[in-house]
Amino acid sequence: MEQNNSIQKAIGELNLFERLYDYIRMVDPVNKNVAYYLKPDVTEIGDGEHHCYKLWGKGDLCENCISVRAYNQGDTFVKIEYQADKVWMATAVPVVIEDNKVVIEFLKNITETGIIDIEGKETGEIHKIINKKNRLIVSDALTGLYNSRFINERLPYDIVSSRENSRHLTLVFISLNNFKAINDTYGHAAGNHIAKELGKIIKKYCRDSKDWVARYGGMEFIMLLSDTDNQQAHQVYKRLYKTINNTRFHYGGNDVKIAVSIGFYSMLNENITAEEFVKKAEKSTYIMTEAGKTDKKAVFEELEQKLFLTVREGEVAELLLKGLSNTEIAEQIFVSNSTVKKHISSIFNKVKVKSRSEFISKYSYITRL
């Protein structure tokens, strides 16, 4: 096979590496697939599941994925991993083969080398040490949640995986809007404390290892919910809103009021990038006031601006979401039924929905709080 020969040629000058490492393999870090094992024998992987993380026997994706980091940054990265009672050093090197960018992983069993001090330690303790080191790389120092590096490395895979398996995926976007005001009033330590407490609340809504929450940037957080459609996401959204609304935040003997924005976007089989996914969720946010109540007039004004609705269309949209019929809407705003139908048709075209039920499902959170 021509590609096989090209791969052998590309690694032909790496005899030294072949002697140094126990396994050498080529991976697609975005899809987490192994394409070839280059040592001990050059072997092409056929159809079926050959995920790179399966080697470690943990079942879950690696939190600290150095291969996708090497792929994204065009540099070499190293980490320590474990497999049962063995300790491994993994090195990820980005290479270009036949105009295709891939990553070569070099794996070395270092259990008995003394590179990492494991003498006298139980297997469980060793695993805990390694997990902690790998977690620190992708953790936010302030909140202890995942950091922006983890988002960049993990979210593209989650999108691809959900699309390939035709599964819903939801991204929730949360922003602490008055962080600066909290700092100015109570000091930076207070702002940091509130950010940590908010992060703890959000994290409680992650169900298992397939869900995750991360600090996106500044005082913005994103939560990724797998196998979650729009209706399920709305329920999570309502519970999260109520929890934050009902939580009394304190610092230094003071009650600290917070203002946050929350929104979400659910996708199914959409061909979008990670950046686009985050932006769609961010655009759906609306503001909770410091008292924890929603200014619905402000919400609809924001809805009008984002969707380019006219003032009249905004009025019709609000009444639609309240469940009023065309006739009832016409009576409320003193126009004919035919005019209401024209407004509704224009609204549906702008928000890209085909029916009243789809529109209500997409924007019902405004009226249900």
Side-chain angles (χ1 to χ4, degrees):
M1 179 182 287
E2 184 176 342
Q3 187 181 26
N4 196 322
N5 293 334
S6 298
I7 294 170
Q8 287 178 312
K9 182 178 178 180
I11 205 163
E13 298 178 1
L14 299 180
N15 291 331
L16 174 61
F17 292 103
E18 291 184 3
R19 291 195 295 270
L20 285 174
Y21 293 94
D22 299 294
Y23 291 100
I24 304 175
R25 60 183 186 174
M26 186 172 78
V27 302
D28 170 3
V30 176
N31 292 290
K32 312 299 183 188
N33 292 326
V34 180
Y36 282 83
Y37 271 98
L38 305 167
K39 186 187 176 181
D41 298 304
V42 179
T43 305
E44 181 178 4
I45 303 299
D47 294 334
E49 284 198 0
H50 295 280
H51 298 307
C52 51
Y53 58 87
K54 295 288 187 181
L55 178 66
W56 312 119
K58 304 175 191 177
D60 297 327
L61 297 173
C62 299
E63 289 183 320
N64 179 21
C65 180
I66 59 170
S67 291
V68 74
R69 192 170 308 139
Y71 182 89
N72 289 339
Q73 300 185 30
D75 203 352
T76 298
F77 290 91
V78 178
K79 72 171 179 177
I80 303 297
E81 269 293 355
Y82 64 84
Q83 178 195 53
D85 59 347
K86 296 179 180 179
V87 179
W88 294 79
M89 181 175 68
T91 304
V93 182
V95 297
V96 177
I97 298 175
E98 295 183 348
D99 297 325
N100 294 317
K101 186 178 179 182
V102 296
V103 172
I104 305 294
E105 289 185 346
F106 299 90
L107 309 173
K108 175 68 176 178
N109 183 347
I110 59 170
T111 309
E112 305 296 336
T113 62
I115 293 176
I116 182 170
D117 182 18
I118 60 175
E119 187 175 354
K121 293 182 175 65
E122 297 291 335
T123 300
E125 185 181 359
I126 296 169
H127 293 180
K128 191 176 295 185
I129 292 170
I130 294 174
N131 286 336
K132 183 178 180 180
K133 288 181 178 295
N134 283 323
R135 180 63 189 263
L136 283 173
I137 299 297
V138 292
S139 292
D140 173 58
L142 174 61
T143 63
L145 303 175
Y146 288 121
N147 57 22
S148 58
R149 169 184 283 172
F150 180 86
I151 298 171
N152 295 334
E153 296 170 357
R154 175 63 181 267
L155 188 54
Y157 168 78
D158 285 317
I159 294 173
V160 170
S161 179
S162 72
R163 189 166 60 240
E164 289 181 347
N165 295 288
S166 295
R167 293 177 176 173
H168 289 90
L169 194 67
T170 291
L171 193 143
V172 183
F173 190 97
I174 307 103
S175 176
L176 177 57
N177 298 321
N178 64 332
F179 180 70
K180 184 177 184 302
I182 293 172
N183 285 341
D184 292 344
T185 304
Y186 304 105
H188 288 278
N192 290 343
H193 173 76
I194 299 301
K196 290 178 185 178
E197 293 302 304
L198 182 59
K200 290 177 182 178
I201 292 173
I202 300 168
K203 190 175 181 179
K204 290 179 181 178
Y205 288 83
C206 291
R207 297 161 300 177
D208 51 39
S209 60
K210 292 183 180 179
D211 295 345
W212 50 265
V213 58
R215 182 180 172 189
Y216 179 64
M219 282 302 118
E220 297 168 334
F221 307 85
I222 65 172
M223 178 167 58
L224 195 285
L225 303 175
S226 61
D227 295 319
T228 304
D229 61 22
N230 191 74
Q231 185 175 1
Q232 293 167 325
H234 179 254
Q235 295 302 316
V236 174
Y237 163 89
K238 284 201 302 182
R239 293 197 298 270
L240 177 59
Y241 166 81
K242 289 180 180 178
T243 300
I244 294 174
N245 184 34
N246 293 331
T247 300
R248 297 184 64 183
F249 294 88
H250 306 278
Y251 185 80
N254 298 304
D255 285 340
V256 181
K257 294 180 179 180
I258 71 169
V260 301
S261 298
I262 304 178
F264 68 88
Y265 185 81
S266 299
M267 58 164 276
L268 177 66
N269 298 328
E270 289 188 45
N271 187 21
I272 61 175
T273 66
E275 182 179 3
E276 290 169 341
F277 195 16
V278 173
K279 291 302 179 185
K280 284 179 180 289
E282 183 179 7
K283 285 181 180 179
S284 74
T285 60
Y286 73 97
I287 296 174
M288 297 180 196
T289 66
E290 289 186 6
K293 298 183 182 296
T294 305
D295 181 350
K296 292 193 176 182
K297 182 179 179 182
V299 170
F300 277 100
E301 288 176 353
E302 186 178 359
L303 185 66
E304 290 168 6
Q305 293 173 1
K306 288 181 177 179
L307 302 178
F308 304 104
L309 302 183
T310 65
V311 174
R312 179 64 80 182
E313 286 171 350
E315 292 175 348
V316 173
E318 181 175 2
L319 296 173
L320 271 175
L321 291 171
K322 289 181 177 179
L324 273 64
S325 66
N326 288 8
T327 300
E328 291 171 327
I329 293 173
E331 292 174 351
Q332 286 271 352
I333 62 176
F334 305 103
V335 298
S336 66
N337 274 0
S338 61
T339 300
V340 171
K341 288 180 180 179
K342 288 180 181 179
H343 286 315
I344 291 176
S345 177
S346 176
I347 292 168
F348 287 179
N349 285 332
K350 288 179 178 180
V351 302
K352 297 180 180 180
V353 300
K354 296 181 180 180
S355 67
R356 179 188 292 255
S357 61
E358 187 179 357
F359 177 73
I360 292 174
S361 174
K362 192 170 185 179
Y363 294 102
S364 60
Y365 61 84
I366 294 175
T367 62
R368 294 183 182 178
L369 295 173

